[in-house]
Every structure is written in C-alpha cells, then in structure tokens.
Amino acid sequence: MDHDGAKGQSVSAAELFDGLGIDYERAFVRLPAQLAAIEWLTARLGAGARVLDVGSGTGRPVADLLVGAGFEVTGIDVSGEMVALASAQVPGARFEQCDVRAFDAPAGHFDAVCAFFPLLMMSRAEAAATLKRMAGWLAPGGFLVTATVPADVEDLEIVWMERTVRVSSFSVEEYLRLQREDCGLDVLHHAVSVFVPDDERAAPEDHLFTYALREALTEGGASAV
C-alpha cells in the first residue's frame, strides 16, 4: 500500500474494482504465496468439496484452480465488472455480485473458505465480524485460507493503483488473535512475504497469509484436529 500522495475523493471497493477490471488480474495473478496457499488447500480437500471464494475478482487464479481440482466453487465479489469477467473466464464456478457483509450461508455449509484481501476496505470492526462469520460457514474440519496486508491502521487514506481509497487493517499479532480467540480456529500456518505486483502503478506490499482449521468434533463432542 502506498501511503504517499493521497489526493482526491476516495472510491468504494465496488468502484475501485469495477475500474480496474482485468488490470487487477494482470498485476496480481502471479502471486507465489497465493498459489502456494491454493496448492496447500487442494491437497487437503476431497473431490466435490464446497469452497467459497470471497472477493473472487476475475476468477483467476483462485476459482480457476479450485474448479480444476474438482471442487464445487462459489465466488462472491462486490464488483459487477469482476463478476462478469469471472463468469466468462471460469464457467465451472458460480459467481454472485455480493458484499461479504451481506452474504448469507448456512452454518457449516462450506468445506473451505478462501478470503484473499477482501477485508481491507472495511472498518476493523466490520473486518473482525466478517472473519467470525466466515469461520461459522465452515464445516467441522474445514479450512479458512486468508491473505491481508498487515498494518495497524484504521480508515487510512492511501493511493493504490492510482486510485484514492480508505483502508483499515490489523497487525500480524492481532489478525492471528482474532482467528484463534474470536473465531475459534486453529491457525496452522502464517507467513509474511513481500510481493512486487506486475504493474508499475502498484508498489511492493507486505502480505500475510494464514491457513486455519475449524476443528472437527469427536463422537463425544470434544474437538479434535
């Protein structure tokens, strides 16, 4: 995230990604840590597993790889332009234009939820509540795989890919605490890496990736990994 030179009226998430369209895919499609996360997840899910991709963007690479692995994929994105691109590029998945804060799914419905960077343009309270809701959509033994830009900021105005946006985020420690304590998940892996987007308009970013498990229940009702 580029904190310098923020000018002009900030745009909403829908406006931002409607305007970026396929340029977002070109800048971020070759994100090694994201590809590693999908590889990790696909190795642990059975054929036909139900996966929700939150902030599904153009459908590539995440939904495309998940469909290729034989999963039943639902993608949601706040941007109508992104949903149209994803539907055309990944016809094997189902995409819906929806803000994750308004999305409704039965408890335990999904075997995995992927959430790569969809929380950054929310308030911290909204992001924390959304993490908890996503954890609730997981079946016992299901996985929440996420990525964010770790930073201790609230409603900060920045310039990103030549657009002025307002962002909030958490420190690494607080983001992990939210998943462990508020969401009741077992964080199996976390790592921070630096990514240089394939677009000169986007500065290098710190990325935090996490892999978390909703523990399964034993016959006696106790949780077990």
Side-chain angles (χ1 to χ4, degrees):
M1 295 187 297
D2 181 3
H3 296 194
D4 299 323
K7 295 179 180 179
Q9 185 174 355
S10 60
V11 297
S12 69
E15 292 168 333
L16 173 66
F17 289 103
D18 279 346
L20 286 174
I22 201 69
D23 285 348
Y24 179 78
E25 177 182 316
R26 291 170 181 151
F28 288 89
V29 71
R30 290 183 292 276
L31 205 173
Q34 185 177 59
L35 299 175
I38 297 302
E39 182 178 1
W40 181 92
L41 181 63
T42 56
R44 287 159 177 80
L45 295 178
R50 292 180 293 194
V51 183
L52 177 66
D53 182 13
V54 178
S56 47
T58 68
R60 294 177 178 166
V62 178
D64 193 29
L65 291 172
L66 294 171
V67 168
F71 306 141
E72 181 184 316
V73 180
T74 300
I76 60 172
D77 201 286
V78 73
S79 164
E81 175 67 17
M82 289 297 190
V83 169
L85 284 167
S87 298
Q89 295 193 136
V90 191
R94 183 181 71 84
F95 296 96
E96 176 183 346
Q97 183 179 359
C98 182
D99 189 313
V100 65
R101 291 167 289 188
F103 185 71
D104 191 25
H109 182 72
F110 292 102
D111 299 297
V113 175
C114 297
F116 297 121
F117 309 104
L119 307 178
L120 292 165
M121 293 182 68
M122 302 179 188
S123 70
R124 287 203 279 200
E126 290 171 327
T130 299
L131 274 172
K132 192 170 183 178
R133 293 183 71 230
M134 291 191 295
W137 297 333
L138 292 173
F143 298 99
L144 176 64
V145 181
T146 79
T148 190
V149 177
D152 185 11
V153 296
E154 174 83 42
D155 196 32
L156 177 67
E157 187 176 89
I158 66 168
V159 171
W160 186 76
M161 293 192 74
E162 298 182 339
R163 276 82 168 173
T164 302
V165 297
R166 305 194 75 88
V167 297
S168 300
S169 192
F170 304 99
S171 67
V172 173
E173 294 75 19
E174 178 63 8
Y175 191 70
L176 296 177
R177 188 201 66 78
L178 286 168
Q179 292 193 47
R180 288 169 174 150
E181 298 182 15
D182 292 19
C183 300
L185 300 175
D186 182 9
V187 179
L188 305 176
H189 167 84
H190 73 277
V192 177
S193 56
V194 178
F195 177 67
V196 180
D198 192 16
D199 189 314
E200 62 183 14
R201 296 173 297 172
E205 298 178 345
D206 284 347
H207 289 168
L208 168 63
F209 279 79
T210 67
Y211 312 164
L213 168 72
R214 179 181 179 187
E215 294 183 349
L217 297 177
T218 66
E219 291 186 4
S223 60
V225 178

